[in-house]
Amino acid sequence: MNQSNFRTSNVFDFSPDVEFLQILARGSLKQNLPKAVRLWVILRSLYGDAADPVKVELGNKFTYNDWCERFFTGFEHHKNDTIPHNHDSNCYCHKTMTEWLFERSINSDVQEWKKSFLQLYPVTPQQLNNLLDFGIISPRKESEKQEKIRLLAKTRKNFQYDFKTLVSMGWLQSEKVKSNPAHNKFKTQYIKVDSFPDVLMSVSEKVVDNQGIENLIQNDLADFFNEFSQKINHEQRFFLELEYIVHPQFSEKINNWTQKLKNLWHSQPIPPIKITYVSASNFQNYQDEGEDYIIYPVCIYYSQRAPYLFAYGQTPNDSSSMKINWYGYRLDRIKNIEELEWNLVNLPNFSQKMCESKTPQTLEIFRSEAWGFNLARPQEILLIRFDRYYHNLYIQGTEREKLFKQISKKQAQSLINNYEIKLEQKQQLLGSLKSRSSSDIYCRVNYRQDYNTIMRLRSWGPKVEVFLPWELRETMAKDIQQACKFYQK
């Protein structure tokens, strides 16, 4: 929505486009989309045009009960602190969030709305559909019955919080009035405003300023920045410490590379580049000459304590130039970047058309499919055993639960039986499995082996055991045995 559309008026006719909903959400729509749409509906009911079917007739001052009686059918279903059941198909509590967002009367285009959302939030189309249908990004377990979210099927207390939010944003005023003159009891009375809040302009600008944070951070940590980036009563109350291992001597070089890449990404089409790179995995040091790789730059990612250029093309892991894959190049290890022209690049399986299909969204899909940062490595099955208490603390109810799929001990036994390893290795694993506690938790993980996944498994220590793949189990055992020797008397 253009800023020129923000105006002072006593008629609310704002469409539920993504930018306006962000203003109502006062934070990430990944977390607060249902509430933002709910506030939009309430504002329509209070200030909508007379032709708006949602508009209710209320005086300048009203209570929650006044609004509730006129807005819903069957007041008895909505006056208490219980979620109303689906009691009437004509009641507004029956409508789903998608029905509110894309109803014909507001002429909202579904595909355009989704496109706008995906431009601002790096989620997959399926995750967006989950958010629209169920109010959450993460899909529910297949065993659970999934019902689309009824947007206004909320308790009295939920709506009181919504009205409180509208008061804090300047859409309403409130006052306490005695509900019973004979007793010292009060009720909240809401007062309509004569003009819409000036916050529309200032919040619009704030959304633009903070949207960079929303785009940069790939999880809900961005919400902390939205809430706590400013001082509270002149004191900073939120701090973030990131481990950053790049030596300061490389700061200027990294700044040069990021500026050069920004300029390249402004180009149409984005050109391929040739980089000279010293690869730690190939045992090269900073003072070495390095090797040249032709790549298509996709994005910069901060992870594993340093910034990486993620690209598609030749990789240090492959000795043959015929092999093209994803790879993360640490910025401080890049010695040179040279812009190339597409018509002068002649590599098998590396064309302009193919590379232009490799986007940051493509990368996110790959990263969400398996555990591990080295996308050039093939996916494997990781079978691990957790101490139950430890699993409850660090896996269950966390983002890791998406990748660490809990399975039964019998399913773990079946995985081992079907795994292609030597018979004596299989028998050893099955014997170990049989001797473990029946209370332990087993997880199957799709993963790409890299140093950081091994480091994470090591950090979990005796609370986790690797069963498959056999080679990784052997690596873990040898490392532990070697470390143990250092501490033996």
Side-chain angles (χ1 to χ4, degrees):
M1 179 182 295
N2 296 326
Q3 288 190 1
S4 60
N5 288 337
F6 293 111
R7 58 198 180 280
T8 300
S9 170
N10 59 357
V11 175
F12 183 88
D13 57 358
F14 296 95
S15 298
D17 55 64
V18 172
E19 185 180 352
F20 183 69
L21 290 176
Q22 281 186 122
I23 294 171
L24 295 180
R26 297 199 294 186
S28 170
L29 283 181
K30 289 190 294 183
Q31 287 288 96
N32 301 316
L33 180 61
K35 180 171 183 176
V37 180
R38 204 163 57 245
L39 294 178
W40 171 74
V41 174
I42 294 172
L43 288 170
R44 283 178 61 189
S45 73
L46 299 177
Y47 298 110
D49 185 87
D52 191 333
V54 179
K55 175 71 181 296
V56 297
E57 293 300 325
L58 286 169
N60 189 51
K61 296 183 178 182
F62 62 94
T63 64
Y64 169 77
N65 283 354
D66 295 332
W67 175 81
C68 186
E69 283 185 285
R70 291 162 178 78
F71 186 77
F72 294 111
T73 67
F75 175 59
E76 66 276 8
H77 298 286
H78 297 273
K79 64 182 181 179
N80 300 316
D81 288 326
T82 56
I83 295 177
H85 66 271
N86 203 349
H87 62 95
D88 183 357
S89 61
N90 293 318
C91 184
Y92 286 137
C93 75
H94 173 79
K95 293 178 67 171
T96 65
M97 182 158 62
T98 52
E99 287 173 334
W100 280 110
L101 277 174
F102 309 121
E103 60 183 330
R104 290 183 179 179
S105 62
I106 60 173
N107 297 318
S108 182
D109 184 274
V110 180
Q111 296 307 317
E112 284 299 316
W113 193 96
K114 288 183 176 181
K115 181 180 177 181
S116 178
F117 190 99
L118 293 172
Q119 286 174 342
L120 293 175
Y121 295 95
V123 299
T124 66
Q126 182 57 54
Q127 287 175 324
L128 176 54
N129 288 336
N130 289 332
L131 181 61
L132 289 169
D133 288 342
F134 312 120
I136 53 174
I137 287 286
S138 304
R140 299 180 183 181
K141 296 178 181 178
E142 293 181 3
S143 59
E144 295 181 6
K145 184 180 179 181
Q146 299 188 36
E147 294 183 356
K148 289 188 176 183
I149 180 175
R150 291 189 294 130
L151 183 71
L152 301 179
K154 293 292 180 181
T155 67
R156 174 191 180 94
K157 186 169 290 186
N158 289 140
F159 281 112
Q160 286 175 332
Y161 284 134
D162 289 341
F163 278 96
K164 185 177 181 180
T165 299
L166 293 177
V167 170
S168 68
M169 293 179 69
W171 291 100
L172 287 170
Q173 296 176 350
S174 66
E175 62 181 3
K176 295 288 186 180
V177 296
K178 278 195 173 183
S179 57
N180 189 330
H183 300 87
N184 196 27
K185 292 186 178 180
F186 294 85
K187 62 182 178 181
T188 300
Q189 186 168 256
Y190 301 102
I191 307 167
K192 292 183 182 179
V193 295
D194 294 329
S195 59
F196 291 165
D198 293 336
V199 74
L200 287 173
M201 288 296 292
S202 59
V203 173
S204 174
E205 293 165 1
K206 183 178 178 182
V207 165
V208 172
D209 291 340
N210 286 353
Q211 190 54 53
I213 295 295
E214 297 283 354
N215 292 338
L216 280 174
I217 298 177
Q218 302 297 302
N219 54 47
D220 295 325
L221 180 61
D223 292 340
F224 281 94
F225 287 94
N226 286 331
E227 293 295 330
F228 295 111
S229 60
Q230 304 299 321
K231 292 182 178 181
I232 302 172
N233 286 337
H234 310 293
E235 291 285 351
Q236 185 65 42
R237 298 293 182 178
F238 174 73
F239 300 91
L240 179 68
E241 181 181 358
L242 293 176
E243 188 176 0
Y244 188 67
I245 61 174
V246 177
H247 196 283
Q249 72 183 39
F250 297 113
S251 296
E252 184 177 353
K253 177 196 286 188
I254 289 177
N255 288 337
N256 290 337
W257 296 155
T258 54
Q259 289 303 314
K260 189 175 184 69
L261 289 165
K262 281 180 69 175
N263 292 335
L264 289 172
W265 284 320
H266 276 293
S267 304
Q268 290 295 333
I270 298 170
I273 59 176
K274 180 169 70 174
I275 66 170
T276 305
Y277 189 69
V278 287
S279 170
S281 61
N282 287 345
F283 306 102
Q284 295 172 339
N285 298 318
Y286 286 99
Q287 64 269 24
D288 293 336
E289 291 185 3
E291 297 180 21
D292 293 336
Y293 304 95
I294 295 176
I295 59 174
Y296 178 75
V298 175
C299 64
I300 296 173
Y301 218 111
Y302 174 87
S303 189
Q304 305 171 6
R305 302 165 296 283
Y308 288 77
L309 167 62
F310 264 81
Y312 186 76
Q314 296 175 318
T315 76
N317 286 349
D318 301 303
S319 57
S320 170
S321 63
M322 303 287 285
K323 188 65 178 278
I324 303 295
N325 212 328
W326 287 96
Y327 196 81
Y329 298 86
R330 225 172 85 174
L331 287 182
D332 57 309
R333 287 184 164 269
I334 296 176
K335 304 194 74 169
N336 187 55
I337 295 179
E338 178 186 348
E339 182 178 345
L340 304 177
E341 295 181 18
W342 278 111
N343 58 0
L344 298 179
V345 174
N346 185 21
L347 282 179
N349 305 313
F350 187 83
S351 65
Q352 179 179 344
K353 183 178 181 180
M354 177 180 291
C355 287
E356 286 178 345
S357 68
K358 311 301 180 184
T359 66
Q361 288 73 30
T362 311
L363 178 65
E364 281 306 295
I365 292 172
F366 273 107
R367 280 178 49 77
S368 66
E369 288 175 346
W371 186 37
F373 210 67
N374 191 347
L375 302 186
R377 297 294 296 269
Q379 289 190 36
E380 296 184 75
I381 293 176
L382 175 66
L383 173 61
I384 54 180
R385 176 188 62 83
F386 282 97
D387 169 86
R388 177 177 289 275
Y389 178 73
Y390 198 82
H391 179 273
N392 291 347
L393 281 178
Y394 296 104
I395 303 297
Q396 188 176 21
T398 73
E399 283 290 301
R400 290 182 178 133
E401 206 170 23
K402 297 177 184 177
L403 290 175
F404 289 73
K405 304 295 184 184
Q406 185 175 334
I407 62 175
S408 66
K409 192 171 184 177
K410 186 174 182 181
Q411 289 172 312
Q413 182 180 15
S414 178
L415 271 179
I416 295 171
N417 277 320
N418 293 325
Y419 204 81
E420 294 184 5
I421 50 177
K422 294 178 181 179
L423 180 60
E424 58 267 27
Q425 295 169 345
K426 189 173 295 188
Q427 289 174 339
Q428 179 181 328
L429 289 177
L430 291 171
S432 297
L433 182 72
K434 186 177 181 181
S435 67
R436 301 300 183 253
S437 170
S438 59
S439 66
D440 289 339
I441 302 294
Y442 293 86
C443 289
R444 169 181 174 156
V445 187
N446 291 329
Y447 97 119
R448 301 180 181 92
Q449 182 176 328
D450 63 19
Y451 186 68
N452 285 274
T453 57
I454 294 176
M455 288 290 287
R456 174 57 64 188
L457 289 168
R458 285 176 184 165
S459 72
W460 286 338
K463 302 300 183 182
V464 65
E465 177 184 7
V466 174
F467 276 86
L468 296 174
W470 175 263
E471 294 78 11
L472 179 57
R473 180 182 174 88
E474 286 286 276
T475 297
M476 296 290 294
K478 289 176 182 177
D479 289 347
I480 293 169
Q481 290 164 5
Q482 183 64 44
C484 185
K485 291 178 182 179
F486 298 144
Y487 299 97
Q488 290 175 342
K489 293 182 179 179

